[in-house]
Amino acid sequence: DNMRIQLLDNITGKWSLQWIITWFISGVIALSAGFWLTTEHSTLDWFYLVVSFIGLICVVSLSFRKNVAGNGFGMAATAGEVVVQGTAGSVGLMLAPLFNFFTHLYGLFYWSKNTDADGNMIPKSANKWVWLITITFMVIGLALFPTVNALLASYGYAVVKNDSSLFLGFISFFWINVIAFILSITAQAAMILRYSFNWWLWILSNFVWLTVNLMSGNYIFAIQTMVYQVNSFVGLYEWYRSEQEALTA
């Protein structure tokens, strides 16, 4: 597994600062375009745009294994998202960012105990048990989600709205949302627990959204997803590389 990719070595190495700045600017442009073209520019929309910018700093910091920036901005971004959803009256949509907020809080302490000489978090590799637990968790999540969601919906707290709309005429939008949701919750947990494979789950989740947005003609959102997807590949490489280095050290 010592396959090195020169470009990614440079991005995660000597060009890292230039890369982070370029990537961040691309993200700001993509998010701003979405804000400008697809929202009413309300106060809440403006607030959400700022929260999204904080989210950009969070995810790029996480891909480079920066604890305080990653988990700290992660707490700020998820707290902001809770405020946005709460203000909009979407109580169900507050649940995921609330979960993510507490995982970042835990991550802040847990990562600080597992750092290298540079103060960056050392990722760990998953054995087959971790994979088994992850897959089991996702299967159970997919099996139980509709029931739990329907129960929450009966109180007006739906996590995913089930309006029986179809994508391409035959795929339930509800299930696309559910799969992406379960993938992201699992990816978040795996990331906080320092498992490098978390980036594969983000890549999968982004791929689901990318496909949906492209085929629905939501090109702005497709571009935003691409920005996050590029970061996921960089994160995957950076984490696996440092995991290998920690093993050979």
Side-chain angles (χ1 to χ4, degrees), residues 19-47:
W19 165 258
I20 290 168
I21 292 167
T22 309
W23 180 87
F24 180 74
I25 292 169
S26 309
V28 165
I29 293 168
L31 290 168
S32 302
F35 160 77
W36 201 251
L37 299 170
T38 66
T39 75
E40 315 255 299
H41 311 159
S42 69
T43 310
L44 197 59
D45 293 327
W46 277 104
F47 180 73

Side-chain angles (χ1 to χ4, degrees), residues 1 3 18 29 31 43 48 71 94 100 108 111 125 151 203 207-209 212 225 240-241:
D1 201 284
M3 194 183 82
Q18 290 90 324
I29 293 168
L31 290 168
T43 310
Y48 195 54
N71 287 309
M94 291 166 66
N100 291 339
L108 203 58
W111 282 27
S125 60
L151 183 69
I203 287 165
F207 183 72
V208 171
W209 286 125
V212 172
T225 308
Y240 271 117
R241 199 189 62 172

Side-chain angles (χ1 to χ4, degrees), residues 140-219:
I140 293 171
L142 288 169
L144 293 182
F145 192 92
T147 314
V148 174
N149 191 62
L151 183 69
L152 287 167
S154 68
Y155 294 105
Y157 303 152
V159 176
V160 175
K161 286 191 174 63
N162 193 353
D163 57 3
S164 64
S165 59
L166 296 175
F167 171 60
L168 300 182
F170 68 98
I171 304 168
S172 154
F173 257 115
F174 173 72
W175 276 107
I176 292 172
N177 274 290
V178 170
I179 290 165
F181 178 80
I182 298 286
L183 274 170
S184 63
I185 288 287
T186 313
Q188 177 73 17
M191 181 182 68
I192 296 297
L193 294 174
R194 305 181 15 246
Y195 289 114
S196 303
F197 77 86
N198 86 84
W199 294 105
W200 283 117
L201 299 176
W202 289 119
I203 287 165
L204 209 55
S205 168
N206 286 331
F207 183 72
V208 171
W209 286 125
L210 190 61
T211 310
V212 172
N213 286 322
L214 281 176
M215 299 188 87
S216 310
N218 296 330
Y219 299 118

Side-chain angles (χ1 to χ4, degrees), residues 9 31 82 100 108 115 122-123 128 131 155 177 192 229 239:
D9 270 342
L31 290 168
V82 170
N100 291 339
L108 203 58
T115 53
I122 303 166
K128 60 176 183 287
W131 272 107
Y155 294 105
N177 274 290
I192 296 297
Q229 188 70 306
W239 282 44

Side-chain angles (χ1 to χ4, degrees), residues 23 50-60 73 77 228:
W23 180 87
V50 174
V51 169
S52 306
F53 291 165
I54 297 170
L56 287 175
I57 304 171
C58 159
V59 296
V60 76
F73 282 112
Y228 290 108

Side-chain angles (χ1 to χ4, degrees), residues 63-84:
S63 69
F64 280 86
R65 306 180 290 117
K66 306 284 179 208
N67 180 24
V68 176
N71 287 309
F73 282 112
M75 285 167 68
T78 50
E81 203 175 325
V82 170
V83 171
V84 169

